[in-house]
């Protein structure tokens, strides 16, 4: 079996409701699976295709996207290798499901947001944008990728004990330094997604969708 094609990751695919819609790449948090974020994806954009793979690392039975040595301490070699494997899966899925490569937006929560951010930094032309809920800095010295034309909605909790506020701020800086258009939104809570943030992310995605429909794509 090929390890780079669409069959390399267990996943769910829900076709778009309208031609030319966005595809949301749904990346679950630690302990989730390919079913976890389908409802969230549908709430964010009811027309979008949903591509939802399952992370291949098992941490005492909890699915993740890459290994960690301790809470918030990442195994960088594993992170880089698995980011590349996920990128190959995405490329395979775009071909297999005949998706518009330029209409792909990652939506990640926590560990899923962390691999989404790493995808942006390591494979900058793969995604049109990303919605990052509760992300952290995964690379201290990321490559100087060109992220111009890429939109990122970044949501962080002022009281998040895992993805601390300074992590969101530093990640936003890394992305802005590389040319991404970043919208950083705060909520008062912890490591989660509240209704207010969901509404803001939905509105942001609507703007990205409109821009994607009319503007030349990067
Ligand atoms: C991570 O390991 O990616 C972060 O600590 C978030 C988590 O999954 O708990």
């Amino acid at each position: 079996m090929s390890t780079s094609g669409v069959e390399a990751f267990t996943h769910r695919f829900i076709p778009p409701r309208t031609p030319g819609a966005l595809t949301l790449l749904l990346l679950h948090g630690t302990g989730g699976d390919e079913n976890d974020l389908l409802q969230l994806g549908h709430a964010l954009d009811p027309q979008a295709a949903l591509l939802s793979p399952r992370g291949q690392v098992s941490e005492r039975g909890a699915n993740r996207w890459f290994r960690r040595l301790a809470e918030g301490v990442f195994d960088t070699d594993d992170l880089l290798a698995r980011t590349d494997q996920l990128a190959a899966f995405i490329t395979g899925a775009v071909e297999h499901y005949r998706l518009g490569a330029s209409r792909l937006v990652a939506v990640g929560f926590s560990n899923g947001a962390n691999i989404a951010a790493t995808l942006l930094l390591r494979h900058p032309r793969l995604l049109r944008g990303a919605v990052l809920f509760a992300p952290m800095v995964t690379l201290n010295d990321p490559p100087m990728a060109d992220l111009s034309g890429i939109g990122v909605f970044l949501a962080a909790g002022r009281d998040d004990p895992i993805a601390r506020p300074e992590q969101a701020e530093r990640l936003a800086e890394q992305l802005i330094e590389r040319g991404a258009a970043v919208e950083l939104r705060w909520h008062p809570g912890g490591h989660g997604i509240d209704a207010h943030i969901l509404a803001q992310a939905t509105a942001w995605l609507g703007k990205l969708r409109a821009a994607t429909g009319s503007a030349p794509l990067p």
Side-chain angles (χ1 to χ4, degrees):
M1 182 174 89
S2 155
T3 52
S4 62
V6 71
E7 71 279 8
F9 279 72
T10 300
H11 66 279
R12 296 276 308 268
F13 176 71
I14 314 286
R17 294 231 174 122
T18 48
L22 296 176
T23 298
L24 303 185
L25 169 72
L26 303 176
L27 301 168
H28 61 76
T30 298
D33 68 19
E34 66 277 18
N35 299 304
D36 258 38
L37 299 188
L38 293 175
Q39 221 181 332
L40 175 74
H42 191 64
L44 283 168
D45 184 348
Q47 307 301 322
L50 304 178
L51 176 64
S52 188
R54 182 197 300 175
Q56 293 180 327
V57 167
S58 173
E59 186 184 81
R60 293 184 295 279
N63 299 320
R64 284 178 54 82
W65 296 99
F66 54 89
R67 295 201 178 95
R68 62 181 162 183
L69 308 173
E71 176 67 57
V73 184
F74 304 137
D75 176 336
T76 305
D77 289 344
D78 190 66
L79 167 66
L80 297 179
R82 292 189 188 269
T83 301
D84 294 351
Q85 286 165 11
L86 184 60
F89 161 77
I90 295 164
T91 304
V94 163
E95 203 185 314
H96 182 82
Y97 294 115
R98 300 176 194 277
L99 304 171
S102 54
R103 290 185 167 71
L104 208 57
V105 179
V107 176
F109 171 65
S110 185
N111 184 240
N114 292 345
I115 195 139
T118 316
L119 270 175
L120 282 173
L121 292 162
R122 206 161 153 81
H123 296 275
R125 305 331 285 170
L126 197 61
L127 301 170
R128 178 66 178 79
V131 177
L132 308 177
F133 294 111
M136 298 168 73
V137 171
T138 57
L139 300 174
N140 283 323
D141 190 16
M144 218 41 226
D146 176 10
L147 294 177
S148 51
I150 310 287
V152 181
F153 179 92
L154 201 161
R158 291 269 184 217
D159 205 20
D160 190 333
I162 298 169
R164 303 192 62 80
E166 57 271 22
Q167 290 276 322
E169 275 161 6
R170 232 179 96 212
L171 177 62
E173 275 165 24
Q174 288 183 341
L175 297 168
I176 291 166
E177 267 168 26
R178 288 159 179 77
V182 175
E183 194 160 316
L184 173 56
R185 295 287 169 158
W186 296 97
H187 63 85
H191 202 61
I193 305 170
D194 70 12
H196 193 54
I197 280 293
L198 187 57
Q200 290 178 338
T202 305
W204 178 88
L205 205 53
K207 282 189 273 170
L208 183 83
R209 187 173 52 240
T212 304
S214 53
L217 297 159

